Amino acid sequence: MNEIKKELEEKKEDSKESLVGLSLPALEKELSSLPAYRCKQLYEALYVQGVRDFSSLTIFPKDLRVLLEKKYTLRSFKLSDVQSSMDGTQKWLFKMPDGQEIETVHIPEKTRGTLCISSQVGCTLTCKFCHTGTQTLVRNLTAGEILTQIMMAQDFFEDWKQSKNSRYVTNIVFMGMGEPLYNYNSVSEAMKIAIDPKGLGFSNRKITLSTSGVVPFIEKCGQELGVNLAISLHAPTNELRSKIVPLNKKYPLEELIDACHAYPGVHKYRKITFEYVMLKGVNDSPSQARALIKLLEGLPAKINLIPFNSWPGAKYECSSIDAQNKFSNILSKAGIYTFVRRARGDDILAACGQLKSKSERERRARH
Ligand code: SAH
Ligand code: SF4
């Protein structure tokens, strides 16, 4: 009996609308019967103070809190699972009200903490080395769902501006599941709140959007959001890139590199990051390193070499340390700032390209 009651209550909770993701004007529209100053207070409570349930909204009269509570929620996700890696990386599996799941990863470093967030459940693109790419797109995330990942991480660390000075969540990268520029509207709505000084208050310099190269949205993203740009390059020629990043057939390297040259705000001190996954015998030869230097000539670029992270069923192997070092040295000698990204959290499949919702993994395992 108690089980049934609990299930019904959970269902009722799931059908509530989330206020997270609403901008101030959208909040005023949604709560049009409230005076404007109340909406302002609510906006601040939501995004600056991190109020996560209406009962803590003590500046509101009790009857108003009860009314809001009946219809709305401030945290629509349930935490399905947390996994902690030996290196301190944590992977959270969140369940959304429709039952879909997404993964968010927190990577602690000495003086900062990077949160790797998802923009879609699955991905429509099929990069050959990516685990997420083997899961077809289930759906786009809403702006609220993108923000909820950040806000629940802040809840977890009690890392709200008002409660602590040190910040566990200092940087945000769109390197989780999905292609953010194929969900541009939600990503931009969410990021506008994330960078609003009266919202979550992140600097756009602390946010990096990683794309496999959706050219038409690159410039828009720079103009509207001004976040850092990372391009998943992975190959120096169209022939190879089209094989491993099929989107290259639609937006070939010439167009992609032109879009990078035109990216607003890029200069010597604000470079574009080019991600390059190291695949043994595929893209890791010295001549490919030289071709890469030529391709990026004249661009304020830095290169992030990512040792390939394996996953069950992957057809690639990671380049040897020797090949990685040789490749990296050639680039560095040419004056391009290059770093090899140490895999973080790969013992819990939380490293780049290893994410895939648990339900999807289980579904595949059954077939
Ligand atoms: N869809 C976006 C962002 C998510 S992927 C994009 O493609 O940029 C984040 C990064 O992980 C990308 O650079 C992607 O190419 C890389 N990646 C994907 N699978 C990987 C794997 N198995 N090992 C290492 N990096 C991988
Ligand atoms: Fe999608 Fe990025 Fe994976 Fe390619 S690398 S399949 S764009 S998530």
Side-chain angles (χ1 to χ4, degrees), residues 220-241:
K220 201 171 174 182
C221 169
Q223 261 159 9
E224 286 186 3
L225 309 173
V227 293
N228 301 321
L229 183 65
I231 301 283
S232 294
L233 195 62
H234 310 313
T237 60
N238 276 323
E239 197 193 351
L240 178 59
R241 191 163 192 268

CSV table of all heavy atoms in Angstrom, one decimal, residues 220-241:
chain,number,residue,atom,x,y,z
A,220,LYS,N,27.1,32.3,-35.1
A,220,LYS,CA,26.0,32.7,-34.2
A,220,LYS,C,26.3,32.5,-32.7
A,220,LYS,O,26.1,33.3,-31.9
A,220,LYS,CB,24.8,31.8,-34.6
A,220,LYS,CG,23.5,32.4,-34.2
A,220,LYS,CD,22.3,31.6,-34.8
A,220,LYS,CE,21.1,32.2,-34.2
A,220,LYS,NZ,19.9,31.7,-34.5
A,221,CYS,N,26.9,31.3,-32.5
A,221,CYS,CA,27.3,31.0,-31.1
A,221,CYS,C,28.3,32.0,-30.5
A,221,CYS,O,28.2,32.5,-29.4
A,221,CYS,CB,27.9,29.6,-31.1
A,221,CYS,SG,28.7,29.1,-29.6
A,222,GLY,N,29.3,32.4,-31.4
A,222,GLY,CA,30.3,33.3,-31.0
A,222,GLY,C,29.7,34.7,-30.7
A,222,GLY,O,30.0,35.4,-29.7
A,223,GLN,N,28.8,35.1,-31.6
A,223,GLN,CA,28.2,36.4,-31.5
A,223,GLN,C,27.2,36.5,-30.3
A,223,GLN,O,27.3,37.4,-29.5
A,223,GLN,CB,27.4,36.8,-32.7
A,223,GLN,CG,28.2,37.7,-33.6
A,223,GLN,CD,27.7,37.6,-35.0
A,223,GLN,OE1,26.7,37.1,-35.3
A,223,GLN,NE2,28.5,38.2,-35.9
A,224,GLU,N,26.4,35.5,-30.1
A,224,GLU,CA,25.4,35.6,-29.1
A,224,GLU,C,25.9,35.2,-27.7
A,224,GLU,O,25.4,35.8,-26.7
A,224,GLU,CB,24.2,34.6,-29.4
A,224,GLU,CG,23.3,35.2,-30.5
A,224,GLU,CD,22.1,34.3,-30.7
A,224,GLU,OE1,21.9,33.3,-30.0
A,224,GLU,OE2,21.4,34.6,-31.6
A,225,LEU,N,26.8,34.3,-27.6
A,225,LEU,CA,27.2,33.8,-26.3
A,225,LEU,C,28.7,34.1,-26.0
A,225,LEU,O,29.0,34.2,-24.8
A,225,LEU,CB,27.0,32.2,-26.2
A,225,LEU,CG,25.6,31.7,-26.6
A,225,LEU,CD1,25.6,30.2,-26.7
A,225,LEU,CD2,24.6,32.2,-25.7
A,226,GLY,N,29.5,34.2,-27.0
A,226,GLY,CA,30.9,34.5,-26.7
A,226,GLY,C,31.7,33.5,-25.9
A,226,GLY,O,32.6,33.8,-25.2
A,227,VAL,N,31.2,32.3,-25.9
A,227,VAL,CA,31.9,31.2,-25.1
A,227,VAL,C,33.1,30.7,-25.9
A,227,VAL,O,33.3,31.0,-27.1
A,227,VAL,CB,30.9,30.0,-24.8
A,227,VAL,CG1,29.8,30.4,-23.9
A,227,VAL,CG2,30.4,29.4,-26.1
A,228,ASN,N,34.0,30.0,-25.2
A,228,ASN,CA,35.2,29.4,-25.9
A,228,ASN,C,34.7,28.3,-26.8
A,228,ASN,O,33.7,27.6,-26.5
A,228,ASN,CB,36.1,28.8,-24.9
A,228,ASN,CG,36.6,29.8,-23.9
A,228,ASN,OD1,36.9,30.9,-24.2
A,228,ASN,ND2,36.7,29.3,-22.6
A,229,LEU,N,35.5,28.2,-27.9
A,229,LEU,CA,35.1,27.2,-28.9
A,229,LEU,C,36.1,26.1,-29.0
A,229,LEU,O,37.3,26.4,-28.9
A,229,LEU,CB,35.0,27.9,-30.3
A,229,LEU,CG,34.6,27.1,-31.5
A,229,LEU,CD1,33.1,26.6,-31.3
A,229,LEU,CD2,34.7,27.9,-32.8
A,230,ALA,N,35.6,24.9,-29.0
A,230,ALA,CA,36.5,23.7,-29.2
A,230,ALA,C,35.9,23.0,-30.4
A,230,ALA,O,34.7,22.8,-30.5
A,230,ALA,CB,36.5,22.8,-28.0
A,231,ILE,N,36.8,22.6,-31.3
A,231,ILE,CA,36.4,21.9,-32.5
A,231,ILE,C,36.9,20.5,-32.5
A,231,ILE,O,38.1,20.3,-32.3
A,231,ILE,CB,37.0,22.6,-33.8
A,231,ILE,CG1,36.5,24.1,-33.9
A,231,ILE,CG2,36.6,21.8,-35.1
A,231,ILE,CD1,35.1,24.3,-34.4
A,232,SER,N,36.1,19.5,-32.7
A,232,SER,CA,36.5,18.2,-32.7
A,232,SER,C,37.0,17.9,-34.1
A,232,SER,O,36.2,17.6,-35.0
A,232,SER,CB,35.3,17.2,-32.4
A,232,SER,OG,34.9,17.4,-31.1
A,233,LEU,N,38.3,18.0,-34.3
A,233,LEU,CA,38.9,18.0,-35.6
A,233,LEU,C,39.2,16.5,-36.0
A,233,LEU,O,38.7,16.0,-37.0
A,233,LEU,CB,40.1,18.9,-35.7
A,233,LEU,CG,40.6,19.2,-37.0
A,233,LEU,CD1,39.6,20.0,-37.8
A,233,LEU,CD2,41.9,20.1,-36.9
A,234,HIS,N,40.2,16.0,-35.3
A,234,HIS,CA,40.5,14.5,-35.4
A,234,HIS,C,41.2,14.1,-36.7
A,234,HIS,O,41.6,12.9,-36.8
A,234,HIS,CB,39.3,13.6,-35.2
A,234,HIS,CG,38.6,14.0,-33.9
A,234,HIS,ND1,39.2,14.2,-32.7
A,234,HIS,CD2,37.2,14.1,-33.7
A,234,HIS,CE1,38.3,14.4,-31.8
A,234,HIS,NE2,37.1,14.5,-32.3
A,235,ALA,N,41.2,14.9,-37.8
A,235,ALA,CA,41.9,14.5,-39.0
A,235,ALA,C,42.3,15.7,-39.8
A,235,ALA,O,41.6,16.7,-39.7
A,235,ALA,CB,41.0,13.6,-39.8
A,236,PRO,N,43.4,15.7,-40.5
A,236,PRO,CA,43.9,16.9,-41.2
A,236,PRO,C,43.4,16.9,-42.7
A,236,PRO,O,43.6,17.9,-43.4
A,236,PRO,CB,45.4,16.8,-41.1
A,236,PRO,CG,45.7,15.3,-41.0
A,236,PRO,CD,44.5,14.6,-40.4
A,237,THR,N,42.8,15.9,-43.1
A,237,THR,CA,42.3,15.9,-44.5
A,237,THR,C,40.8,15.5,-44.6
A,237,THR,O,40.3,14.8,-43.7
A,237,THR,CB,43.0,14.8,-45.4
A,237,THR,OG1,42.8,13.5,-44.8
A,237,THR,CG2,44.5,15.1,-45.4
A,238,ASN,N,40.2,16.0,-45.7
A,238,ASN,CA,38.8,15.7,-45.8
A,238,ASN,C,38.5,14.2,-46.0
A,238,ASN,O,37.5,13.7,-45.5
A,238,ASN,CB,38.2,16.4,-47.1
A,238,ASN,CG,37.8,17.9,-46.8
A,238,ASN,OD1,37.3,18.1,-45.7
A,238,ASN,ND2,38.1,18.8,-47.7
A,239,GLU,N,39.4,13.6,-46.7
A,239,GLU,CA,39.3,12.1,-47.0
A,239,GLU,C,39.1,11.3,-45.7
A,239,GLU,O,38.2,10.6,-45.5
A,239,GLU,CB,40.4,11.6,-47.8
A,239,GLU,CG,40.1,10.3,-48.5
A,239,GLU,CD,41.4,9.7,-49.0
A,239,GLU,OE1,42.4,10.3,-49.0
A,239,GLU,OE2,41.3,8.5,-49.4
A,240,LEU,N,40.1,11.6,-44.8
A,240,LEU,CA,40.1,10.8,-43.5
A,240,LEU,C,39.0,11.3,-42.6
A,240,LEU,O,38.2,10.6,-42.0
A,240,LEU,CB,41.4,11.0,-42.8
A,240,LEU,CG,41.5,10.3,-41.4
A,240,LEU,CD1,41.2,8.8,-41.6
A,240,LEU,CD2,42.9,10.5,-40.8
A,241,ARG,N,38.8,12.7,-42.5
A,241,ARG,CA,37.8,13.2,-41.6
A,241,ARG,C,36.4,12.7,-42.0
A,241,ARG,O,35.6,12.4,-41.1
A,241,ARG,CB,37.9,14.8,-41.6
A,241,ARG,CG,37.1,15.3,-40.4
A,241,ARG,CD,37.4,16.8,-40.1
A,241,ARG,NE,36.8,17.2,-38.8
A,241,ARG,CZ,35.6,17.7,-38.7
A,241,ARG,NH1,35.0,18.1,-39.7
A,241,ARG,NH2,35.2,18.0,-37.5
